Amino acid sequence: MRKIILNLGSGTLSSGCQSIIGEILGEPSSEVAYPSRFSGQLPPAPSLAVKMQQWQAQYYARNQDLALRIHLLQREGLRYSESDFKTLCTDLSAELNGWLNAPAFLPVDRILRSELARMGNAQIILETSDPQLRKLPWHLWELLEAYPQAEITFSASDWQPLTNRESTSSHARILATFGHSNGLDLAADLSALNELPGAELKVLESPSLSQLHEQLWQPQGWDVFFFAGHSRTQGDTGVVDLNDSERLTIEQIRHALSRALENGLKIAIFNSCDGLGLAQQLSDLQIPYIVVMREPVPDYVAQRFLKYLLVAFAEGAPFHLAVREARQRLAGLDNESPCASWLPSIWQNPTAQAIYWQDLQGRASWVMSQGPRRWKPPLFKSVLAGGLVLILRSLGIFEPFELAAYDHLMRSRPVEPVDARLVVIEASEETTSEYGYPLPDEVLTAVIDIVNQSDPLAVGVDLHRGKARPAQGRIATRWQLQQQTRQATQPSVQPSVEAPNDTVLARDVSVLLDAPSQAVTEPPETSAYTRFLAQVEQTPHLFLVCAYSSTDENYQVPLQLSEDVRLDQVGFSDLPVDAPLSRVDGDRGDLSPDGEASLAGAAVRRQLLSYDPDFSTTPSTCTTPYSLSFQLAFEYLYQQGITPLEVTPNEHWRFGPVVFRSLPSRFGGYQNLEASSSQVLLNYRTSQPAQKISFEQLLAGNFDPSLLRDRIVLIGYNAPVSKDYFDTPYGPMSGLWVHTHMVSQLISTVLDERPLIRTLPQWRSWQWGDGLWILAWSGLSGYIGWFLVGYSAKNRRGGSVAVGLWLLAAGFFTLLLYGICWAGMASGLWLPLIPSGLAALVAGSAVVMTSKADQGKMPPSGGALGQPKLSAESAEPDDG
């Protein structure tokens, strides 16, 4: 808030104001670093003085027979005409503005307008010792009409800086004194005071001087001193009627008021007649704000004024603008009481800061004392922002962004150790360069033989073998020579299935070297592919793969296998993929087999446990309902004694004590999942999920066989030529390693209680937990924005300061939300980061930006709900 002091010097209406000194002040927290001064003049205005005297005479004549808060002396010869009085009011207003538009005063007017245009909340403080200048209706100045956030106040010529004492009470302490009330109805004043929220009211009815003195000396102090009753100004002295026998002047309670001021008195309201003498004496005591009536006031006008003033003040207006609002509302009484709005007058100490209702309640308690009425705007905006975000989320608008945030949080988690129960035998680019792609059956059977010799618990071959893949040409020759060398250096190696004799091997090699095309037509019982099929039939813990989503026969189940093997030892390799983040409308039910990702950049974030073959969109011999990871995990857990494996009544898989709940159509950021399969989110390990051995190491015997014993072994490609790569939260990853993560997830969840990725509670596809979370962040952000606007205004800072504070708060808010979501993801809880952050940003910004325009009004300080109100009957009795 800014203040403009106009010192009129010793000027009068008759002689003019020859030396007007203007000074612009800013409060310590405002943008004004130093005051500035200017000067001007006002010419003599004797006609304005005459008009003012005539107006006073007519006003007295009109109200002489009304119930006034003054005992008017009967004056003979006073004649009153309603039309003449209204004409006089108009003429007086025109005369006043004509005087203020004098050329000598125009420089002052221009400076005032320039400054007021830059000020959101301002006071024009007049300093004058002339009684007639004080009685002028300054509120009619045309300047004020153009600047609704400015108000005229008065000050004594001599003043001292105030040391403001903050209220320590959680309620505004009001000492209400009701004096002699003959012919008055003061119950309406008491009712208005009782309706103040968050107020602690002490009522004195027709007290004695000693009783009033005692209360003013109370050490806990008073924030507001209120008086209603009869009063008058005699000369320069204000007099009030305490009771039917005692009259009181300010001089009689000077010391008591000084002590009350030391104890925190901020406002004195005299809702009584002719109070300019009271105001002068009270301002000499340096009371921050004083309200008096400059002329006799009808009883009902005083009642309405107090009600309007207290309502505006409690709703958040600074005190001086609350007086302006109450005065303007009195204009509605012009038909009943012309010029009622001319009566209220504010006196103040120029160094007093703007006072808000919450200032009277202590900084620690003003937030808690806010009434429900002013909670509604920020609450409504917050709920509206949160609701809009929820609607957009349900439409899938935020899905790609939520999945990107999900990936980031996954990557940011703490490092986990390698799962020692799994080993990956990978065919790298070096392997395919040496043996070709696809790897020949001879190489695969040799690898399986070596692995089986180490007694693993389960072996998964992530290589599609729907038909034979014989070695040909130079590769066959190279393989023969390598095998002969290995047999010479490792005579102790015994294959787990019967090896071909020398005659059969020589014939196979001869066929491959001399007539590669005949290799396919060779009798099945003598081919490497036949030996591979025999390995599968003879090794119950060996599992193959097939694919639903491919019509290529290479991706199907070998028809030569027995029906039992095709049912029990085959798992599908299809992976559920999410469309690239650039494809907002991507189908979230896509399946992709190893080696032919259906979407460039398709990402794997989910794991299929089982799938109904009837839902397959392509004809396929892949009829197994179980995924490769499911088959391997089941075999391992079965060997570990984990039982039972069953389907719950809700059709979820149960491994021992752990239930793997299938994802509904809406889960976390997903808004359109396929519900026909049993799938869970894939909780990738933050590091490599298994130990690794290359084909070259295995075939050369350069490994420790104990690494494979009692382990799950996966065999597959990790070579670019396989085109078996998918996007994951950890970047491109081969299908082999994705399957490894999936197997690790299943057994770690059951054996190590490693959490599955979960979300806040929901019922089926109704994400009520996420909804409440988003609305909570939206509401909290809106409230903080509202609080910062209130704090900014409370500390007399501009709207730009509120925006700056909000930006800082928004940054902190974002970091806090991110930290909570990161901690949640570290424990397996997927919290809605993007929609929560967006709802919070929108709600807080909406509250701040819409409230900034109303900086002149603080957030209200409605009382705490249930705060008891005091009445005259319940007021503490005075015992002197």
Side-chain angles (χ1 to χ4, degrees):
M1 184 188 72
R2 308 271 286 276
K3 304 184 184 76
I4 303 174
I5 300 176
L6 291 180
N7 189 317
L8 303 183
S10 59
T12 65
L13 288 177
S14 300
S15 62
C17 303
Q18 303 302 319
S19 179
I20 299 176
I21 303 297
E23 187 171 9
I24 300 172
L25 299 178
E27 294 188 352
S29 59
S30 73
E31 301 89 344
V32 180
Y34 50 86
S36 58
R37 285 191 173 186
F38 54 93
S39 60
Q41 294 180 342
L42 278 170
S47 62
L48 178 58
V50 172
K51 283 281 194 303
M52 191 65 212
Q53 291 173 351
Q54 292 173 348
W55 180 89
Q56 283 182 294
Q58 287 292 309
Y59 181 83
Y60 270 71
R62 185 192 187 283
N63 294 289
Q64 182 147 342
D65 297 325
L66 297 180
L68 299 175
R69 298 196 174 191
I70 189 173
H71 293 301
L72 284 180
L73 296 177
Q74 295 297 322
R75 300 185 183 181
E76 297 296 335
L78 286 178
R79 296 187 341 180
Y80 174 76
S81 166
E82 191 78 21
S83 60
D84 290 346
F85 184 66
K86 289 183 178 180
T87 301
L88 184 58
C89 291
T90 303
D91 292 346
L92 180 59
S93 176
E95 191 85 23
L96 172 66
N97 282 287
W99 181 52
L100 294 173
N101 286 328
F105 192 68
L106 284 179
V108 174
D109 186 271
R110 282 195 294 268
I111 292 175
L112 292 178
R113 292 181 184 274
S114 174
E115 291 298 324
L116 291 175
R118 295 186 295 175
M119 300 177 182
N121 182 340
Q123 295 171 334
I124 300 176
I125 304 172
L126 298 180
E127 294 181 353
T128 177
S129 57
D130 182 60
Q132 201 168 25
L133 285 175
R134 292 173 180 172
K135 289 211 170 195
L136 284 176
W138 288 92
H139 67 283
L140 299 178
W141 191 357
E142 293 173 348
L143 176 76
L144 295 182
E145 293 297 323
Y147 300 98
Q149 295 297 308
E151 175 65 345
I152 288 280
T153 65
F154 293 88
S155 169
S157 299
D158 298 326
W159 44 266
Q160 298 175 355
L162 289 174
T163 302
N164 294 318
R165 171 184 161 179
E166 279 195 13
S167 298
T168 57
S169 172
S170 60
H171 298 86
R173 288 176 51 80
I174 301 176
L175 178 61
T177 303
F178 294 92
H180 183 46
S181 59
N182 182 36
L184 302 180
D185 179 14
L186 301 184
D189 295 47
L190 178 60
S191 177
L193 291 168
N194 274 325
E195 290 176 3
L196 272 174
E200 180 181 339
L201 184 63
K202 173 68 177 180
V203 178
L204 300 179
E205 293 190 51
S206 299
S208 65
L209 176 59
S210 62
Q211 288 176 322
L212 177 59
H213 216 266
E214 185 69 24
Q215 291 299 324
L216 289 173
W217 277 86
Q218 290 295 317
Q220 63 268 39
W222 303 99
D223 297 300
V224 179
F225 176 76
F226 173 81
F227 175 82
H230 293 296
S231 69
R232 71 196 62 82
T233 297
Q234 297 175 346
D236 292 330
T237 302
V239 179
V240 299
D241 295 346
L242 272 184
N243 49 57
D244 57 1
S245 60
E246 287 186 277
R247 306 291 179 266
L248 173 70
T249 64
I250 298 303
E251 189 63 31
Q252 291 176 278
I253 55 172
R254 168 178 288 274
H255 296 297
L257 284 173
S258 296
R259 177 53 60 90
L261 184 62
E262 293 175 8
N263 290 335
L265 182 64
K266 300 175 181 66
I267 297 172
I269 302 174
F270 283 80
N271 201 25
S272 58
C273 290
D274 195 15
L276 290 182
L278 295 170
Q280 177 64 53
Q281 293 173 290
L282 290 169
S283 64
D284 290 341
L285 293 174
Q286 310 300 325
I287 294 178
Y289 284 90
I290 306 156
V291 175
V292 296
M293 298 293 181
R294 59 164 55 94
E295 301 290 352
V297 56
D299 194 27
Y300 66 91
V301 173
Q303 295 167 1
R304 295 284 187 89
F305 170 74
L306 181 65
K307 178 181 178 180
Y308 297 153
L309 168 61
L310 296 182
V311 168
F313 189 35
E315 285 189 350
F319 184 72
H320 65 284
L321 293 184
V323 174
R324 172 174 174 146
E325 180 177 326
R327 174 172 48 75
Q328 290 174 329
R329 293 187 66 178
L330 289 179
L333 301 178
D334 274 354
N335 287 336
E336 305 168 55
S337 182
C339 299
S341 61
W342 294 28
L343 305 180
S345 176
I346 308 176
W347 287 63
Q348 72 167 93
N349 183 301
T351 65
Q353 298 182 1
I355 295 179
Y356 296 85
W357 177 244
Q358 54 268 19
D359 288 326
L360 310 184
Q361 298 171 292
R363 290 183 182 269
S365 63
W366 78 268
V367 172
M368 296 304 297
S369 65
Q370 303 308 301
R373 176 177 177 183
R374 290 287 295 207
W375 271 95
K376 291 180 181 179
L379 181 61
F380 172 77
K381 294 168 188 173
S382 299
V383 171
L384 184 63
L388 177 62
V389 168
L390 287 175
I391 292 173
L392 295 178
R393 189 193 197 210
S394 68
L395 298 176
I397 303 299
F398 303 135
E399 185 169 323
F401 309 105
E402 288 198 72
L403 294 180
Y406 172 85
D407 293 347
H408 172 76
L409 292 173
M410 289 282 285
R411 291 191 298 271
S412 303
R413 296 177 302 167
V415 176
E416 295 178 271
V418 172
D419 191 339
R421 294 164 298 206
L422 286 87
V423 178
V424 169
I425 311 297
E426 68 172 21
S428 63
E429 184 176 10
E430 180 182 352
T431 307
T432 56
S433 296
E434 183 172 359
Y435 299 114
Y437 176 83
L439 288 175
D441 297 329
E442 290 83 354
V443 177
L444 180 57
T445 55
V447 169
I448 293 174
D449 280 339
I450 297 172
V451 169
N452 280 336
Q453 291 173 23
S454 300
D455 297 323
L457 289 184
V459 179
V461 179
D462 186 26
L463 298 170
H464 292 278
R465 278 298 187 270
K467 62 180 183 179
R469 300 285 192 174
Q472 300 185 26
R474 296 176 183 175
I475 293 176
T477 303
R478 187 184 302 120
W479 174 250
Q480 179 190 19
L481 296 175
Q482 288 175 349
Q483 287 297 92
Q484 291 173 351
T485 302
R486 293 187 183 105
Q487 290 174 5
T489 57
Q490 301 176 11
S492 60
V493 174
Q494 299 294 328
S496 60
V497 296
E498 184 178 355
N501 56 38
D502 292 341
T503 302
V504 174
L505 182 60
R507 185 183 61 196
D508 290 345
V509 173
S510 175
V511 170
L512 292 171
L513 292 174
D514 300 331
S517 61
Q518 299 179 20
V520 179
T521 62
E522 198 63 26
E525 65 272 8
T526 63
S527 67
Y529 186 62
T530 301
R531 293 194 296 276
F532 165 71
L533 296 177
Q535 286 175 321
V536 178
E537 293 279 359
Q538 298 170 19
T539 313
H541 60 259
L542 179 62
F543 297 88
L544 302 182
V545 290
C546 61
Y548 289 121
S549 52
S550 176
T551 57
D552 190 334
E553 61 180 358
N554 288 307
Y555 289 87
Q556 305 307 312
V557 181
L559 297 177
Q560 299 90 327
L561 294 174
S562 66
E563 184 176 351
D564 290 342
V565 170
R566 281 184 287 167
L567 178 64
D568 297 334
Q569 290 179 236
V570 177
F572 59 77
S573 63
D574 302 80
L575 301 176
V577 294
D578 298 329
L581 296 182
S582 59
R583 251 185 65 180
V584 177
D585 59 343
D587 178 11
R588 298 303 173 191
D590 289 331
L591 295 178
S592 177
D594 293 341
E596 54 174 57
S598 61
L599 293 171
V604 178
R605 300 182 182 89
R606 294 169 284 132
Q607 174 178 0
L608 275 177
L609 302 181
S610 60
Y611 187 78
D612 188 342
D614 293 337
F615 286 98
S616 178
T617 58
T618 58
S620 175
T621 60
C622 185
T623 58
T624 177
Y626 310 114
S627 66
L628 174 64
S629 59
F630 182 95
Q631 292 281 41
L632 293 174
F634 172 72
E635 179 68 18
Y636 183 87
L637 294 173
Y638 180 80
Q639 295 295 332
Q640 296 293 323
I642 302 299
T643 57
L645 169 65
E646 62 180 6
V647 180
T648 68
N650 294 327
E651 299 185 351
H652 302 310
W653 287 109
R654 180 196 297 273
F655 283 91
V658 179
V659 176
F660 291 82
R661 303 183 184 279
S662 300
L663 299 180
S665 60
R666 298 182 189 274
F667 190 82
Y670 288 105
Q671 299 300 312
N672 187 28
L673 286 174
E674 182 184 357
S676 61
S677 60
S678 177
Q679 60 178 319
V680 295
L681 284 180
L682 176 52
N683 189 4
Y684 285 91
R685 280 187 174 267
T686 55
S687 58
Q688 186 172 288
Q691 301 176 82
K692 178 178 68 174
I693 299 175
S694 69
F695 266 55
E696 289 74 21
Q697 288 176 299
L698 191 81
L699 294 172
N702 186 20
F703 72 99
D704 183 359
S706 64
L707 288 177
L708 305 180
R709 187 170 298 115
D710 298 329
R711 302 294 200 275
I712 300 174
V713 179
L714 287 95
I715 303 171
Y717 293 111
N718 188 17
V721 69
S722 68
K723 299 181 181 178
D724 181 23
Y725 283 88
F726 297 86
D727 279 347
T728 72
Y730 292 91
M733 188 180 297
S734 68
L736 171 66
W737 283 102
V738 174
H739 287 302
T740 306
H741 276 283
M742 291 177 172
V743 177
S744 177
Q745 162 159 281
L746 294 177
I747 63 176
S748 298
T749 302
V750 177
L751 299 178
D752 304 334
E753 298 182 353
R754 185 172 180 264
L756 292 167
I757 299 297
R758 63 197 187 281
T759 62
L760 292 171
Q762 65 181 74
W763 184 73
R764 295 183 179 177
S765 294
W766 183 34
Q767 298 175 285
W768 63 269
D770 280 7
L772 291 178
W773 175 268
I774 292 169
L775 289 175
W777 281 96
S778 175
L780 181 60
S781 175
Y783 169 73
I784 289 177
W786 174 66
F787 173 85
L788 291 176
V789 172
Y791 175 83
S792 176
K794 180 181 180 66
N795 288 275
R796 293 71 181 171
R797 299 180 182 273
S800 59
V801 175
V803 174
L805 290 174
W806 162 242
L807 292 176
L808 291 176
F812 172 77
F813 218 61
T814 302
L815 292 176
L816 177 63
L817 177 60
Y818 175 83
I820 293 175
C821 291
W822 176 87
M825 185 61 73
S827 63
L829 179 62
W830 184 8
L831 295 171
L833 172 60
I834 297 299
S836 300
L838 182 60
L841 181 63
V842 172
S845 299
V847 170
V848 169
M849 298 310 295
T850 56
S851 300
K852 186 182 73 166
D854 195 26
Q855 242 335 281
K857 289 190 176 183
M858 282 288 300
S861 77
L865 294 179
Q867 170 65 30
K869 300 289 192 289
L870 296 180
S871 63
E873 290 77 11
S874 62
E876 188 177 328
D878 299 307
D879 55 9

